[in-house]
Amino acid sequence: MTAPAWLAIGNRHVVLALLLLAYILSFIDRNIMAILVGPIRDDFNISDFEYGLLNGLAFSLMYTFLGIPIGWLADRRNRTRIIAWGTGFWSVMTVVCGLSSGFASLFLARVGVGVGEAALSPPAHSLLSDYYPKRQLPVVMAIFTLGIPVGVGVSYSVGGWVYGWFAAYGSVSVPWLGELRPWQLTFMMVGLPGFLLALLLARVVEPVRTGLLHRQDAMSFADVSGFLRQHRRVYFAVFAAVACLAIMGYGFMLWFVAHMSRVYGIPEYQISKVFGLLYLLCGSLGTLFGAWLSGWLAARGHADAGVRTILVVALLWLLPAVMAPLMPTVQTAYLMAAPCIFLLNGYFGVSIASLQLVTPNQMRAQVSAVLLFMGNVFGLAIGPAMIGLLSDRLFSGSHSLGYALACIGALFCPLAIACLWSSLPAYRRLLGLADSGWGMPSAADRGSQ
């Protein structure tokens, strides 16, 4: 998938735009199930817990575990090819989701979507760190992570409109494919744009790598593991905090519309149209707020501005996370959902940039992969299923999902706050070490001693 020279895309702003578009499409494809809870549960006759497995565990099973080897590969090979192939593959598998006829086949198709999407974020984070200077990286990562609120918002609004349009016509008989339900047609429709994007991404130029440690071309997995253990007060604390916040964020994204539908008696696809616009607006503002706050703190002398920003977001998130699922009316539910959406999008871009700034080039994609691993194994694989299990087993009635969501917020937000607070001094020390060129002689210098 190497492009001819005259077709090559090397302008960094165009590259950022293409990666942002890929991230948007990835969240549309992964989050479309949030508006299809009712029809899929009815067709397959499954519980909340089983649906949580379809949406969470199935997608994250390979998405999570492939991220680290893909990060290892991206630190050694052409990152743009990895991203292009991944985009094409997850688009194919999203269309295949629309051909599923039961729990098992949809589960496997969702696993395939996760395989393709695993090839996007770690290589993209590393790629952008070489296209842009360090001082611009927090803003660049915030722009890239706008793909989350935009993608989720579009999946709710446009996805709700697409499903509503197909639902108005009912099932459709397609030659060689048989009868397709509205939810199946919705999957197929949202998967198609990714094919064109994959062709464009194949034309992106691979930049020269910068910020190498000791001028080595590559580092072994043992070297990376040793570096992370050496600075565990930073990495493990940030990883754990992101995992806690991801449980809250992904749980909210999957279950809040279904919760509102059950409590207020409104069809999910109708709620999703309003919820999607709310997510698009508040989520985008929240992502930009995280970048702005990090820059504002840095300008006032806080070397740990990135991690401090995540801490502020977690502190502000606690109250609305508990209250939003307990609101008595649909209007107050939307009102309290707004700060939740704003804040759940305010920390992720900053967390990526914060770790990229203190990580040598040869392990940046791998560190991003571990960050995504922690966020996804807990946020995607465990979070939705945990909420579904609480709803099924601990609570009952139309408010069961709301009580489960409130419990998750009350438990995991304080845990994230504690992890972040403990990491601040160690992060400042590691940042100083990175700014000094790691304070160590090169391999050549060591050999001459």
Side-chain angles (χ1 to χ4, degrees), residues 152-430:
V152 173
V154 170
S155 71
Y156 281 123
S157 294
V158 176
W161 179 86
V162 170
Y163 175 77
W165 189 83
F166 284 127
Y169 288 92
S171 299
V172 175
S173 181
V174 179
W176 299 295
L177 298 179
E179 185 175 319
L180 297 178
R181 308 278 288 174
W183 65 264
Q184 294 175 299
L185 295 167
T186 302
F187 269 120
M188 299 174 76
M189 182 65 71
V190 301
L192 293 176
F195 298 115
L196 175 60
L197 182 60
L199 295 175
L200 292 174
L201 287 167
R203 301 176 180 179
V204 171
V205 174
E206 176 76 9
V208 176
R209 294 179 184 268
T210 60
L212 299 173
L213 179 62
H214 304 159
R215 303 183 185 275
Q216 298 175 7
D217 292 330
M219 299 180 69
S220 70
F221 187 75
D223 291 334
V224 176
S225 299
F227 186 88
L228 296 184
R229 286 196 301 272
Q230 181 183 357
H231 302 289
R232 57 187 175 275
R233 290 287 300 276
V234 173
Y235 288 100
F236 293 171
V238 174
F239 292 156
V242 167
C244 291
L245 297 178
I247 289 174
M248 296 167 55
Y250 279 113
F252 184 89
M253 286 193 293
L254 172 63
W255 288 119
F256 198 76
V257 169
H259 154 69
M260 290 182 66
S261 178
R262 296 181 191 181
V263 172
Y264 309 118
I266 305 172
E268 291 170 6
Y269 73 89
Q270 290 185 11
I271 292 175
S272 70
K273 296 176 184 178
V274 178
F275 193 78
L277 294 175
L278 188 66
Y279 206 103
L280 187 61
L281 175 61
C282 295
S284 298
L285 291 175
T287 301
L288 297 175
F289 167 77
W292 172 83
L293 181 59
S294 178
W296 186 83
L297 291 171
R300 280 151 182 78
H302 295 286
D304 55 8
V307 177
R308 191 175 291 262
T309 296
I310 310 170
L311 175 60
V312 171
V313 168
L315 287 166
L316 295 175
W317 195 355
L318 177 57
L319 184 61
V322 175
M323 292 184 61
L326 305 178
M327 291 294 99
T329 66
V330 66
Q331 291 81 9
T332 54
Y334 280 130
L335 184 64
M336 288 306 299
C340 289
I341 295 169
F342 181 88
L343 294 165
L344 74 87
N345 286 281
Y347 76 92
F348 191 58
V350 178
S351 67
I352 297 167
S354 297
L355 294 187
Q356 292 284 302
L357 290 173
V358 296
T359 303
N361 185 290
Q362 300 100 311
M363 60 180 77
R364 286 176 185 165
Q366 293 168 83
V367 166
S368 280
V370 175
L371 179 69
L372 291 168
F373 176 91
M374 293 300 295
N376 291 321
V377 76
F378 289 96
L380 273 172
I382 297 176
M386 181 190 302
I387 293 169
L389 188 63
L390 289 174
S391 174
D392 287 337
R393 302 294 177 85
L394 187 60
F395 303 111
S396 61
S398 61
H399 289 78
S400 61
L401 277 175
Y403 295 145
L405 285 165
C407 287
I408 291 297
L411 174 61
F412 287 101
C413 204
L415 287 175
I417 291 168
C419 291
L420 293 164
W421 181 262
S422 70
S423 72
L424 291 175
Y427 182 83
R428 290 192 291 268
R429 290 193 295 270
L430 183 57

Side-chain angles (χ1 to χ4, degrees), residues 24-170:
I24 290 171
L25 287 181
S26 75
F27 269 87
I28 292 174
D29 290 356
R30 80 176 67 173
N31 194 65
I32 194 67
M33 287 191 69
I35 67 166
L36 302 175
V37 177
I40 293 178
R41 283 185 74 245
D42 291 343
D43 276 5
F44 294 168
N45 192 27
I46 57 177
S47 66
D48 284 343
F49 174 67
E50 290 171 309
Y51 196 85
L53 294 178
L54 275 179
N55 187 72
L57 180 64
F59 173 84
S60 63
L61 191 63
M62 296 303 291
Y63 178 78
T64 297
F65 290 99
L66 279 179
I68 294 176
I70 287 176
W72 178 90
L73 187 65
D75 282 330
R76 289 159 172 77
R77 298 290 185 266
N78 188 294
R79 294 163 286 188
T80 62
R81 295 180 190 175
I82 295 171
I83 294 170
W85 280 109
T87 303
F89 187 77
W90 93 58
S91 301
V92 170
M93 297 310 298
T94 301
V95 173
V96 172
C97 286
L99 302 176
S100 303
S101 57
F103 180 91
S105 58
L106 182 54
F107 190 97
L108 292 175
R110 289 285 292 172
V111 170
V113 175
V115 170
E117 293 196 18
L120 174 59
S121 291
H125 298 164
S126 177
L127 200 66
L128 290 172
S129 72
D130 285 330
Y131 263 111
Y132 286 89
K134 291 177 65 174
R135 69 180 184 278
Q136 296 180 12
L137 202 56
V139 173
V140 169
M141 288 302 178
I143 293 172
F144 175 69
T145 55
L146 276 174
I148 300 175
V150 175
V152 173
V154 170
S155 71
Y156 281 123
S157 294
V158 176
W161 179 86
V162 170
Y163 175 77
W165 189 83
F166 284 127
Y169 288 92

